[in-house]
């Protein structure tokens, strides 16, 4: 991948990170209000946290690749 493609992918990943962060915050506040099914809330939060960790790892890898391509 060339430098411009890496930068474009990193920007896309940043947007996804922001989206997942918003979803995670919404899920956490919904879990605080909703006591009907805490198990489901925990699963959703855990899934979003895993997704966020994967995106952060990808962003880090992209940053390293961009630095190396410079």
């Amino acid at each position: 991948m060339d430098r411009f493609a890496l930068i474009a992918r990193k920007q896309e990943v940043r947007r996804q990170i922001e989206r997942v962060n918003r979803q995670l915050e919404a899920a956490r506040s919904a879990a605080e209000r909703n006591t009907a099914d805490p198990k489901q809330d925990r699963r959703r939060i855990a899934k979003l946290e895993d997704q966020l960790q994967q995106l952060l790892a990808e962003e880090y890898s992209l940053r390293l690749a961009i630095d190396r391509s410079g």
Side-chain angles (χ1 to χ4, degrees):
M1 221 184 253
D2 71 339
R3 184 174 174 82
F4 294 110
L6 290 168
I7 292 170
R9 176 64 186 151
K10 182 180 168 242
Q11 290 171 340
E12 181 181 329
V13 169
R14 280 299 316 154
R15 285 190 296 273
Q16 290 175 346
I17 288 170
E18 291 168 12
R19 179 183 49 82
V20 171
N21 266 327
R22 286 191 303 272
Q23 290 176 337
L24 185 56
E25 288 306 313
R28 285 178 177 155
S29 59
E32 290 173 6
R33 293 187 309 269
N34 179 20
T35 57
D37 194 356
K39 222 176 190 180
Q40 182 181 6
D41 290 335
R42 284 193 304 269
R43 280 194 305 267
R44 175 151 172 72
I45 290 169
K47 180 182 170 189
L48 288 167
E49 288 172 339
D50 288 345
Q51 190 177 0
L52 182 60
Q53 288 302 314
Q54 290 171 356
L55 288 167
L56 289 170
E58 183 179 357
E59 182 197 24
Y60 179 75
S61 296
L62 287 165
R63 272 191 284 162
L64 292 177
I66 291 166
D67 288 345
R68 284 191 302 261
S69 72

